[in-house]
Amino acid sequence: MDSRVAVVSGGGTGIGAAVAGALARDGYDVLIVGRRADVLADAAARIAAECGRPDAVTTVTADLTDPEQLDRVLAAVDGRPVDVVVNNAGGYLSGDTDTLAGTAAYWRANLDANVLTAVLLTEALRPALRRPGGRVILISSISAQRGGGGPYSAAKAALHGWAYDLAAQLGPEQITVNVVSPGYVAETEFFGDRMTAEGHAKRVAATLVGRAGLPDDIAEAVRYLASPAAGFVTGQVLGVNGGSVLGR
């Protein structure tokens, strides 16, 4: 039987690294994609040591907003069927909104980082997705459902609409497409140095379970959607937010 292959964008830190580790422990050959070669190498070495498989993780340094760099991912896949694509690359990018030109650049940067990266990676790998049984998973955000992030919220919400279209297109080939929408997750680079003790406490208080999320919480949701047990689940948004936003 062919080895199982998973591709995880933004796989060097935080949620992406946790997802890559979970899939590697499940026996996947995992390709992690990101812009920082040193960060990817550190994550690959750590995951390989944790799962006891020296070749469990392959790193691909690429900027997924640049169509020409997608060839690097395809070269690493090397013609193998791809079982799981996890689009995790992105983040909140700040910008200057004092002028219309600055506002345009601010919005384009967030749309490129959060939407275009997912579209280009998925479209590049679309012919390689395993049929039947492939999985496409998009990492969104609670801000797509409740706002608060300006262009970041809009970009993450765009993933939801695109996921619905993609699920309809790929469903007849027995490929599922789903979205995981995290709430506040600590131990990531998302907030950088912007998070304060008060901000942390406020976000924890907004949950029903009284704690912040962890990258492993999101990774476990991805594991489920990637598994055979989720073969009848497609076109869905799975909120993993401790009850900060209730299901709709």
Side-chain angles (χ1 to χ4, degrees):
M1 180 180 292
D2 294 335
S3 62
R4 294 180 297 165
V5 175
V7 178
V8 181
S9 69
T13 62
I15 290 171
V19 168
L23 295 177
R25 290 190 294 274
D26 283 344
Y28 288 88
D29 292 339
V30 182
L31 279 66
I32 56 174
V33 187
R35 293 175 298 172
R36 297 175 292 175
D38 56 338
V39 172
L40 294 174
D42 288 345
R46 183 177 67 255
I47 293 167
E50 290 171 354
C51 69
R53 291 196 295 130
D55 300 324
V57 181
T58 299
T59 66
V60 182
T61 306
D63 180 348
L64 296 179
T65 66
D66 180 356
E68 294 185 1
Q69 296 191 33
L70 270 297
D71 286 344
R72 302 177 189 178
V73 180
L74 296 178
V77 169
D78 195 24
R80 293 173 291 172
V82 174
D83 296 88
V84 182
V85 179
V86 182
N87 288 292
N88 172 70
Y92 176 83
L93 303 179
S94 60
D96 174 16
T97 58
D98 291 340
T99 65
L100 287 177
T103 298
Y106 174 42
W107 276 76
R108 287 189 182 116
N110 277 277
L111 290 167
D112 283 357
N114 293 285
V115 180
L116 190 61
T117 54
V119 171
L120 292 182
L121 180 62
T122 302
E123 289 300 315
L125 294 175
R126 186 167 173 167
L129 287 170
R130 190 179 293 278
R131 293 161 169 83
R135 303 283 192 261
V136 178
I137 301 167
L138 312 175
I139 306 300
S140 175
S141 166
I142 195 172
S143 72
Q145 295 155 296
R146 70 180 183 189
Y152 173 76
S153 296
K156 289 302 190 182
L159 293 179
H160 298 193
W162 178 55
Y164 303 149
D165 283 348
L166 199 59
Q169 293 167 18
L170 297 178
E173 300 177 73
Q174 300 295 301
I175 296 170
T176 66
V177 181
N178 291 288
V179 177
V180 175
S181 180
Y184 172 50
V185 178
E187 300 182 14
T188 74
E189 295 182 340
F190 181 83
F191 289 98
D193 59 3
R194 293 177 287 122
M195 179 54 65
T196 64
E198 293 77 13
H200 172 82
K202 179 180 178 180
R203 288 167 173 78
V204 169
T207 71
L208 301 181
V209 297
R211 71 169 178 88
L214 297 172
D216 284 345
D217 293 315
I218 313 307
E220 288 302 314
V222 172
R223 281 185 71 203
Y224 164 65
L225 292 173
S227 75
F232 199 54
V233 180
T234 195
Q236 304 301 311
V237 177
L238 175 58
V240 186
N241 58 43
S244 297
V245 168
L246 301 181
R248 298 169 180 158

